[in-house]
Amino acid sequence: MDNLLLGKVILVVEDDFFLDAELCAEFIAHGSTIVGPVSNVKLTLELIATECMDAALLDIRLGAENAYLIADALSARETPFVFASTGDRMRVPGRFNGYRLLNKPVEFDDIVDALFGPI
C-alpha cells in the first residue's frame, strides 16, 4: 500500500476531529500529503481552486452544510473522491451515482480501495 499512496496529495473534508486525526495520520504514515483537514464548504472550494490534489475523502454532512458543491468542483477537475457518511445512499444526488459512499465508521483500507483500486 505504501507505493500506492507514496507522494499522493489527499484532500480530507471532515468535521469530526478524532476521525480527522486518525485518517490523516494513516495517510501520512503511508507517504501521502494531506490538504486539510477542512470542515466547511467555502474554505474547501478555495483549496480546490488553488491546490493540486490526487484524491479526496468527503464527509457529506459538514455541520449545517453538505459537501455536494465540493463534490461538483472535484468532479469538474476529474479528481477522484469518496463520500463518507452515516446516512444512506438515497440522500446522495443522482449525479454522484458513480462515486463510492462508505458508511462511518470508515476503515482506512476501504478508503484507499475506493480511491485507487484494490490494495
Side-chain angles (χ1 to χ4, degrees):
M1 179 186 323
D2 287 343
N3 289 339
L4 188 61
L5 296 176
L6 187 63
K8 299 285 190 201
V9 178
I10 309 296
L11 171 65
V12 176
V13 181
E14 172 63 61
D15 62 355
D16 180 327
F17 172 78
F18 294 108
L19 185 57
D20 282 350
E22 181 181 323
L23 290 174
C24 290
E26 285 275 359
F27 277 113
I28 291 168
H30 288 90
S32 296
T33 300
I34 299 299
V35 175
V38 287
S39 61
N40 71 68
V41 173
K42 183 180 178 195
L43 179 57
T44 305
L45 292 174
E46 290 172 3
L47 287 171
I48 291 169
T50 59
E51 301 285 332
C52 292
M53 54 205 67
D54 297 298
L57 172 66
L58 306 179
D59 182 1
I60 292 177
R61 293 239 177 256
L62 302 168
E65 301 178 294
N66 66 53
Y68 301 134
L69 288 176
I70 298 167
D72 286 331
L74 290 168
S75 183
R77 291 179 62 133
E78 299 182 357
T79 302
F81 63 87
V82 63
F83 290 113
S85 179
T86 55
D88 61 46
R89 184 77 175 154
M90 299 303 289
R91 295 183 187 180
V92 178
R95 68 186 182 272
F96 301 118
N97 282 343
Y99 294 93
R100 295 270 307 267
L101 170 64
L102 300 177
N103 291 317
K104 289 183 177 181
V106 294
E107 295 292 327
F108 181 73
D109 289 349
D110 292 338
I111 296 168
V112 174
D113 179 57
L115 291 173
F116 300 110
I119 298 170

